[in-house]
Amino acid sequence: MTTATDQIVPDSEHRGLVARLPQPLRDYALLARLDRPIGWWLLFWPCAWGVFLAGGARQWHLVAWMLLGSIAMRGAGCVYNDIVDADLDAQVARTAQRPVASGRVRKKAAWAWLGLLAAVGLVVLLQLRWQAQIVALGSLALVAAYPFMKRITWWPQAWLGLVFTWGAPTGWVAVSDTGLGALAALYAGAMCWCIGYDTIYALQDREDDAMVGIRSSARALGNKVKPGVTAFYTAAVVLWAQAFWLVRPDPLALLALLPVALHLGWQALSLEVDDGDNALARFRSNRTAGFLMALACLVVGSAG
């Protein structure tokens, strides 16, 4: 007999809490990945970076709205991804029990749930000034294309980097129209960070992905995953240093990056590519990396 716990994917962070929900609420929570908050944190932190580095240290209401938007839109993106990937998910052990792939939630119901989450995102969008609204809407085409990238490129993580860090330009423009060079460096660094951590995440599925034909940077890098992740994290720190320098050309400003740089270095050096639990723990630790970077942006943006 299949139990409630069996229907929760192995990397759930709130197995007990979600398992207590009645059917069908549990399936809708799983569909929006409400059992795995790491996703919305990773979507939210670049938003906070953009706000703080642009000088919005006191705009906590804006940061709060962006956190709500990150939760809703990450959920909507996951629902859309599961609708598109239902057939592929059914062939991968880690994702076979997802609600749409397993047939527990019909695609029509999934589309309705996506619409509800998108409505929450619209409420958040309306809280931003019009310039930031335009920037935020610019991500929709990238989001729509993302699920198909694993079918046509070995580097879907690069496309995810474009999508999942879009909060950086949105947050920045919500506060300021100037300093676009610093914004570009911040965004490019965030993209490199995303490619690095999602390559770590993809290590969990390398064998199943190979059998099904799903492409990923973890497969593309082969036995060079650790050097690859190290290179992406190094590029991220260098680009963030450039952003900080453009905001505040002072060597002391660069010291604010030291904690996040050390954390990313620990991730890369301690990564065990053949250990799924190790990879998942390193991936999840990017919640801390994002927080450390937010503190650095807050310090530099306030002093700039």
Side-chain angles (χ1 to χ4, degrees), residues 4 8 12-23 25-27 29-30 33-36:
I8 298 177
S12 171
E13 291 184 68
H14 294 313
R15 183 180 299 270
L17 178 63
V18 173
R20 292 190 186 99
L21 291 174
Q23 289 290 110
L25 293 181
R26 180 172 61 249
D27 284 329
L30 293 173
R33 308 290 198 277
L34 298 182
D35 59 317
R36 291 187 283 167

Side-chain angles (χ1 to χ4, degrees), residues 135-149:
V135 172
L137 290 173
S139 69
L140 293 181
L142 298 174
V143 172
Y146 170 67
F148 303 98
M149 291 299 109

Side-chain angles (χ1 to χ4, degrees), residues 48-58 172 182-183 186 237 239-260 291-304:
W49 303 348
V51 170
F52 291 151
L53 195 59
R58 297 185 179 181
W172 186 292
L183 168 58
L186 177 69
V237 173
L239 286 162
W240 290 338
Q242 181 182 3
F244 281 19
W245 188 265
L246 290 172
V247 171
R248 185 184 179 195
D250 183 341
L252 289 176
L254 302 184
L255 290 178
L257 280 172
L258 186 58
V260 67
F291 173 69
L292 294 173
M293 180 59 179
L295 290 180
C297 290
L298 183 61
V299 169
V300 175
S302 300

Side-chain angles (χ1 to χ4, degrees), residues 8-286:
I8 298 177
V9 293
D11 55 347
S12 171
E13 291 184 68
H14 294 313
R15 183 180 299 270
L17 178 63
V18 173
R20 292 190 186 99
L21 291 174
Q23 289 290 110
L25 293 181
R26 180 172 61 249
D27 284 329
Y28 286 98
L30 293 173
L31 191 53
R33 308 290 198 277
L34 298 182
D35 59 317
R36 291 187 283 167
I38 179 61
W40 76 61
W41 283 116
L42 294 176
L43 188 62
F44 164 71
W45 284 128
C47 301
W49 303 348
V51 170
F52 291 151
L53 195 59
R58 297 185 179 181
Q59 298 195 35
W60 291 101
H61 64 287
L62 175 60
V63 174
W65 277 114
M66 288 191 152
L67 176 58
L68 176 60
S70 296
I71 295 171
M73 296 314 296
R74 185 268 187 144
C78 289
V79 175
Y80 174 69
N81 190 76
D82 281 11
I83 292 170
V84 173
D85 281 352
D87 294 340
L88 289 177
D89 284 346
Q91 301 176 63
V92 176
R94 188 179 57 82
T95 58
Q97 285 301 319
R98 285 179 176 172
V100 176
S102 65
R104 297 195 312 275
V105 172
R106 295 182 178 180
K107 287 188 176 181
K108 269 190 181 180
W111 279 112
W113 180 217
L114 188 156
L116 181 59
L117 291 167
V120 176
L122 177 61
V123 171
V124 174
L125 182 70
L126 295 176
Q127 310 309 310
L128 307 179
R129 64 188 191 125
W130 68 267
Q131 295 94 331
Q133 290 176 3
I134 292 174
V135 172
L137 290 173
S139 69
L140 293 181
L142 298 174
V143 172
Y146 170 67
F148 303 98
M149 291 299 109
K150 66 187 73 175
R151 295 168 171 84
I152 62 176
T153 175
W154 281 98
W155 289 88
Q157 281 69 26
W159 196 269
L160 185 70
L162 290 170
V163 172
F164 230 66
T165 62
W166 196 263
T170 302
W172 186 292
V173 174
V175 173
S176 174
D177 294 319
T178 62
L180 298 185
L183 168 58
L186 177 69
Y187 179 48
M191 288 174 55
C192 291
W193 173 62
C194 181
I195 295 171
Y197 72 62
D198 203 55
T199 297
I200 293 175
Y201 186 72
L203 287 171
Q204 300 174 89
D205 296 331
R206 278 206 296 188
E207 292 183 5
D208 285 342
D209 285 351
M211 289 190 298
V212 178
I214 295 175
R215 301 174 182 181
S216 73
S217 56
R219 290 187 61 206
L221 288 168
N223 62 1
K224 296 180 179 178
V225 168
K226 285 188 71 167
V229 169
T230 301
F232 283 117
Y233 280 170
T234 300
V237 173
V238 169
L239 286 162
W240 290 338
Q242 181 182 3
F244 281 19
W245 188 265
L246 290 172
V247 171
R248 185 184 179 195
D250 183 341
L252 289 176
L254 302 184
L255 290 178
L257 280 172
L258 186 58
V260 67
L262 291 174
H263 181 86
L264 294 179
W266 164 78
Q267 279 190 44
L269 292 174
S270 64
L271 177 64
E272 297 177 16
V273 296
D274 296 320
D275 184 340
D277 290 338
N278 173 281
L280 183 58
R282 300 304 176 274
F283 165 74
R284 284 180 176 164
S285 73
N286 280 285

